[in-house]
Amino acid sequence: MDTFEEAVGKSQSNRLVVIKAFVPWCRACKAFDQKFRKLGLDLESQGAPVTFYEVDVFAVKDVKNLLDIKLAPSIVMYINGNQIDNFSCGPKKFDQVVEKISGKLSELSGAEGAFKMPQVKPEKVVENNPPDL
């Protein structure tokens, strides 16, 4: 398992690092988890310049504070060691996560649509308010 510093370091060579911040008891986090993992595996199998991580910000509070995580789940993205995005998300916002990652990968590769992104179907998810951290 990489440390936070090692994970961010992997973004140094024009590689996108996507970090999902979650808390274990959050229903929205659990519903989002499977889609996030599948997206990561799909893109990594295509050779996309992206690495996916997740961090339990309840267990690792110093990373929560460092990333300025206010709600769970949240996504934080890095390129070349610089944080380029930080936003809360959930199962209903998965399409926005896919769009943001797709856009960043297009910028990195210089070609729009260079990687096959999943088709996002609207789904009926009962989502409680994300937990404040």
Side-chain angles (χ1 to χ4, degrees), residues 16-22 28-44 50-56 73-77 87 89-91 93-98 100-101 117-118 120 123:
L16 177 64
V17 169
V18 181
I19 301 169
K20 177 188 74 170
F22 73 98
C29 296
K30 290 177 184 177
F32 184 79
D33 184 63
Q34 186 175 13
K35 292 178 178 185
F36 180 79
R37 288 174 184 245
K38 183 174 180 344
L39 175 62
L41 291 172
D42 287 351
L43 288 172
E44 288 175 359
V50 62
T51 304
F52 286 74
Y53 293 94
E54 53 186 43
V55 60
D56 177 348
S74 287
I75 296 291
V76 183
M77 293 192 279
F87 57 95
C89 58
K93 294 183 180 179
F94 186 72
D95 58 333
Q96 294 170 4
V97 173
V98 169
K100 286 183 181 238
I101 291 171
M117 301 302 281
V120 180
E123 61 179 72

Side-chain angles (χ1 to χ4, degrees), residues 86-113:
N86 182 339
F87 57 95
S88 63
C89 58
K92 288 185 178 181
K93 294 183 180 179
F94 186 72
D95 58 333
Q96 294 170 4
V97 173
V98 169
E99 286 176 23
K100 286 183 181 238
I101 291 171
S102 178
K104 297 303 177 191
L105 288 175
S106 293
E107 289 174 23
L108 283 173
S109 68
E112 190 170 325

Side-chain angles (χ1 to χ4, degrees), residues 66-90:
L66 180 67
L67 296 177
D68 194 31
I69 301 297
K70 304 285 188 219
L71 299 170
S74 287
I75 296 291
V76 183
M77 293 192 279
Y78 284 85
I79 295 178
N80 294 327
N82 299 310
Q83 189 180 111
I84 58 166
D85 214 338
N86 182 339
F87 57 95
S88 63
C89 58

